[in-house]
Amino acid sequence: MPGCYNKGFNIMTKVWILLLWQMFLTVCRSGAVGPPRNTGRLRGRQVAKIGESKKISCPVEADPAPFIQWTKDGVDILHEEWTRYKVLPDGSLRIKDINMEDAGHYNCKAINGFGSISINYTLVIIDTGNNIVREDQHTTYKLTDNEDILKEGSVPRFVQPEKMKRQHIVRPVGSSIRLKCRANGNPRPQLSWHKDAKVIATEEERKDRQSWTLKLRDLKESDSGRYTCKVTNRLGSINYTYTLEVIEKIKTKPVLLPPNPLNTTVEYGGKASLKCNVESVVQPHIQWLKRIEDPNQDSNLNTTINVGGQKFVVLKTGEVWNGPDGSYLNKLIIEHATEADAGMYICLGANSMGYSFRSAFLTVLPNPQRSTLSDDSSNTSLPLVIALPAFVVIVVVTVAIIILQRHLRRKYGNNSNTNIKASPRFNPVPQQEQEPFPQIHNQPVLHVNPMHNPPAPLQKDMFYPGVQNPHLIHQSSREKLSKNNHSIDCYTDISSVSQSHHQHHHGPQQYSY
């Protein structure tokens, strides 16, 4: 029975695992269900040569699997007459033995029950024998090195039209000029210059090298006229015309028209704009300068000039516009102005006859965030200004006390401790000889410490118990003692001992008699 039970349990486990696996597959498949979608990024322009075979993919996928349908120029290619065309199982279209008629627009359309998607191609056929390219039934052109076959063709267009706004240009005799006319396109366009509707050959063209700029040097009055550039490729052409006026030598310098530039005030982080209007016979050179306020800043700047005895840094100048009244306008734009941008600015207009300038001041308001932070910091620093010096004084005093205590302890600590801890004692009289102190009348000399019990003045008839009065000692005995011990003098030694002891001990004095 246990074996049957285990066997049945294993079978049920396998069944549940199989069911869970099927559920997982169903969920995964349900997540992929939907209309066809593009799964690749193929070049929409395909190129093939005559006699080759070409395979064009249809990179789509869907669940359920889609039905693939190919068309050429809007015509279904699944008919029997399309013997060189075949749709492969993966949905790709294969073309065998390509000829010029195969050029055109192809469409791959994938359809299922949820929707459809279309992918378009252009098949370009190249006939290398005749140097002919064909894109469709109506577009055939000569193969050249100026065209990129893998890219779509495009008409010419000017690359820098903002630099071609000056249509009327005035130059003095003997000066030079460059007229720009840069453009691009596919095929690469060809450029030609015309003066007053007549083709002119530039120096670069004579060298079989195309240039997008017409250079005219050492101008004469006869060079005045209308100069037109024409840019052309097989898809189209564009042109632009300059009017050049060559005049005699300029006799006047530029004049700055008031009131610009004006004194300007801007908020911190704002945008400042200073204008400069210059009147001149020919287009002047306009330059903006900023006065150097900090003398130390001069060493860090590479481009500085002196104007009116003051040093200025040369700023980058933007584009100059022609005004309707013949004047020239230039603007100095300052983005995100800060305090460093404030100061004096000069607009300088110059030509071959001289220059003129006009100044203006830019004021930048303080940063409100910085002022708020400074107020907060000042309020916060007030307690610190008071507390910090007090803290320093306390630390210095504490350190001084500790050092002084250590010094005193090192100097007086040993003697003080000895005097405090030691009990009172009698100081013996120093002896210089080995013999004991002589006895007087067979009575020992009593040593008394006066600090413990100072004796009363000795009377003539007063005696200590068992001891004769020292003052009553017979003179002959003293003389005898002095003769027997020449090196001992009681009074002299006692006083000397007391003085020596006083010099070495700074505590309570002890005396011996």
Side-chain angles (χ1 to χ4, degrees):
M1 291 294 294
C4 295
Y5 176 78
N6 292 334
K7 184 176 181 181
F9 178 77
N10 293 334
I11 293 174
M12 293 298 297
T13 302
K14 293 179 180 180
V15 171
W16 279 107
I17 292 175
L18 181 60
L19 291 175
L20 291 175
W21 178 251
Q22 291 179 348
M23 292 174 62
F24 175 76
L25 293 178
T26 302
V27 171
C28 293
R29 287 178 59 85
S30 63
V33 171
R37 59 184 180 275
N38 192 346
T39 60
R41 187 176 181 181
L42 297 180
R43 190 184 299 272
R45 188 177 177 86
Q46 301 290 318
V47 179
K49 295 181 181 180
I50 292 179
E52 294 181 346
S53 296
K54 182 67 176 180
K55 178 182 177 181
I56 306 176
S57 301
C58 186
V60 296
E61 66 178 13
D63 188 7
F67 170 74
I68 305 298
Q69 181 181 2
W70 281 91
T71 61
K72 178 182 180 298
D73 298 328
V75 180
D76 191 355
I77 61 175
L78 296 179
H79 299 298
E80 296 180 356
E81 60 268 17
W82 300 80
T83 57
R84 296 182 298 108
Y85 292 75
K86 183 179 180 180
V87 178
L88 302 180
D90 62 353
S92 300
L93 175 65
R94 185 179 64 185
I95 307 174
K96 298 172 61 177
D97 299 329
I98 288 179
N99 56 44
M100 297 296 285
E101 300 296 328
D102 295 325
H105 302 287
Y106 290 78
N107 176 267
C108 168
K109 187 175 184 180
I111 306 171
N112 69 2
F114 292 92
S116 63
I117 187 174
S118 296
I119 301 177
N120 297 317
Y121 296 96
T122 297
L123 181 59
V124 180
I125 307 301
I126 301 176
D127 184 355
T128 56
N130 299 318
N131 288 334
I132 297 177
V133 179
R134 188 170 186 178
E135 292 187 359
D136 52 39
Q137 300 298 325
H138 308 286
T139 306
T140 303
Y141 52 89
K142 186 177 180 180
L143 178 63
T144 62
D145 296 335
N146 295 331
E147 185 169 2
D148 187 355
I149 301 299
L150 297 178
K151 295 182 179 180
E152 293 285 343
S154 60
V155 298
R157 63 181 183 87
F158 293 114
V159 177
Q160 297 174 327
E162 68 279 359
K163 295 185 178 182
M164 303 170 62
K165 294 181 179 180
R166 294 181 298 158
Q167 292 183 327
H168 184 77
I169 302 174
V170 180
R171 286 288 186 270
V173 173
S175 63
S176 61
I177 190 173
R178 292 185 178 186
L179 304 179
K180 298 182 179 180
C181 197
R182 181 173 295 276
N184 58 16
N186 189 30
R188 189 168 67 95
Q190 299 297 315
L191 172 67
S192 61
W193 284 96
H194 305 259
K195 179 189 176 185
D196 299 329
K198 295 181 180 180
V199 178
I200 59 175
T202 63
E203 181 179 352
E204 288 76 10
E205 290 175 344
R206 288 193 292 268
K207 295 179 181 179
D208 296 331
R209 184 179 62 184
Q210 178 173 290
S211 175
W212 300 104
T213 303
L214 176 62
K215 303 175 184 178
L216 301 176
R217 300 181 179 89
D218 194 15
L219 292 175
K220 307 178 181 61
E221 292 187 5
S222 58
D223 293 326
S224 301
R226 294 170 56 87
Y227 290 82
T228 302
C229 66
K230 292 184 178 181
V231 184
T232 306
N233 68 6
R234 64 176 181 86
L235 297 177
S237 65
I238 54 176
N239 61 81
Y240 189 82
T241 300
Y242 294 92
T243 301
L244 175 63
E245 181 181 358
V246 181
I247 61 176
E248 289 292 338
K249 187 176 181 179
I250 303 173
K251 298 181 181 180
T252 58
K253 64 180 183 180
V255 177
L256 272 68
L257 301 177
N260 293 316
L262 295 172
N263 294 336
T264 304
T265 301
V266 64
E267 295 182 355
Y268 183 90
K271 180 178 180 181
S273 177
L274 300 176
K275 296 181 181 180
C276 183
N277 290 90
V278 181
E279 185 180 53
S280 177
V281 177
V282 297
Q283 179 174 345
H285 174 74
I286 299 178
Q287 188 68 63
W288 284 95
L289 312 174
K290 183 180 185 299
R291 186 174 64 183
I292 300 175
E293 305 294 343
D294 185 6
N296 298 326
Q297 186 183 6
D298 186 17
S299 59
N300 299 327
L301 300 175
N302 297 326
T303 307
T304 59
I305 62 175
N306 292 324
V307 178
Q310 303 182 59
K311 288 189 175 182
F312 289 81
V313 59
V314 180
L315 305 178
K316 185 177 180 180
T317 303
E319 184 179 358
V320 178
W321 291 278
N322 291 350
D325 55 352
S327 63
Y328 297 87
L329 174 65
N330 182 261
K331 292 183 180 180
L332 176 64
I333 305 297
I334 301 176
E335 302 283 353
H336 310 292
T338 62
E339 289 91 342
D341 297 317
M344 176 190 286
Y345 288 82
I346 281 183
C347 172
L348 186 147
N351 60 19
S352 59
M353 292 301 297
Y355 66 89
S356 299
F357 65 91
R358 187 184 298 272
S359 63
F361 286 87
L362 174 64
T363 303
V364 181
L365 299 179
N367 185 359
Q369 296 180 356
R370 182 177 300 178
S371 61
T372 303
L373 293 176
S374 61
D375 294 341
D376 295 341
S377 61
S378 61
N379 295 335
T380 306
S381 61
L382 182 60
L384 295 177
V385 172
I386 299 175
L388 187 59
F391 176 76
V392 173
V393 171
I394 292 173
V395 171
V396 172
V397 172
T398 304
V399 173
I401 292 174
I402 294 174
I403 294 176
L404 180 60
Q405 288 180 349
R406 290 183 178 180
H407 178 71
L408 294 176
R409 188 177 303 167
R410 187 180 300 109
K411 185 173 183 181
Y412 304 110
N414 295 334
N415 293 337
S416 299
N417 294 339
T418 303
N419 293 334
I420 294 174
K421 294 181 181 180
S423 61
R425 63 183 179 87
F426 296 102
N427 293 331
V429 178
Q431 298 180 3
Q432 298 181 359
E433 297 182 0
Q434 300 297 328
E435 295 183 1
F437 193 81
Q439 301 292 325
I440 303 176
H441 300 290
N442 298 325
Q443 296 294 331
V445 178
L446 179 64
H447 298 277
V448 179
N449 192 336
M451 295 302 296
H452 290 277
N453 189 11
L458 296 177
Q459 302 297 329
K460 187 173 182 180
D461 56 351
M462 183 177 177
F463 296 93
Y464 287 98
V467 180
Q468 295 181 356
N469 191 332
H471 297 277
L472 299 180
I473 299 176
H474 198 268
Q475 181 67 28
S476 61
S477 300
R478 291 185 177 178
E479 295 176 356
K480 183 180 180 180
L481 179 62
S482 176
K483 294 179 179 179
N484 295 332
N485 293 304
H486 299 282
S487 60
I488 299 177
D489 189 319
C490 294
Y491 297 99
T492 303
D493 292 341
I494 290 174
S495 61
S496 63
V497 169
S498 301
Q499 292 176 1
S500 174
H501 188 73
H502 177 73
Q503 293 176 358
H504 292 283
H505 297 278
H506 300 278
Q509 301 293 333
Q510 297 180 353
Y511 301 89
S512 300
Y513 292 89

